Amino acid sequence: MEHALIYKDYNEALKDNRILGVKCAACGTVTTPPKMVCPKCAGTDLSVYELKAEGKIKTFTTVFVAAEGREDEVPYVIVIVELEEGPWIMGNLGEIDPADAGMDLIGQPVKMMEVRVFPGDPYAGDGARPVFCLSA
Ligand SMILES: [Zn+2]
């Protein structure tokens, strides 16, 4: 089976501030990060689709104990964002004092402001992660 969009190309586009996914020709579902089959109807007729990089915060967590290599960043806020097209994506929340991160963040509109690249594994290369900011 041929992939419409492989993870490596998704990651490279993200480094260029673009969120790519795939759109199902059968049902219109948009998925990101890309998958081989549509998660809704299992369709395989998928094409590359660029998402608007805007959405709403579904949940968040404030990190005080960093993963290896990110010790200098703590504390920081990680958000799960429901993009306008439907898929959920993880990113950082910028332009906020982590001490001010509270339950009122849930449901707030956000947009992607930049992408930061973190050291990755030898197969996928460096991992790019979107940084969102509140847009309201
Ligand atoms: Zn589908």
Side-chain angles (χ1 to χ4, degrees), residues 82 93 118 136:
E82 181 180 42
L93 184 63
F118 300 100

Side-chain angles (χ1 to χ4, degrees), residues 5 8 11 13 16 25-26 30 37 41 43-44 52-53 74 81 98 101 106 114-115 129:
L5 178 67
K8 184 171 183 282
N11 204 40
D16 195 29
V30 175
V37 299
C41 76
T44 57
K52 284 166 60 181
V74 290
V81 172
I106 297 190
E114 64 174 327
V115 171
R129 177 173 294 170

Side-chain angles (χ1 to χ4, degrees), residues 50-97:
E50 181 166 352
L51 292 93
K52 284 166 60 181
E54 296 177 4
K56 289 184 176 172
I57 296 174
K58 296 301 288 186
T59 190
F60 73 97
T61 189
T62 304
V63 177
F64 295 97
V65 179
E68 189 177 350
R70 298 186 64 180
E71 295 85 352
D72 294 345
E73 296 175 52
V74 290
Y76 56 89
V77 179
I78 297 288
V79 287
I80 299 289
V81 172
E82 181 180 42
L83 296 171
E84 272 187 29
E85 297 87 349
W88 293 19
I89 192 170
M90 188 169 73
N92 285 49
L93 184 63
E95 297 184 344
I96 186 172
D97 182 343

Side-chain angles (χ1 to χ4, degrees), residues 24 26-29 38 40-43:
C24 174
C27 76
T29 296
C38 173
K40 186 173 181 188
C41 76

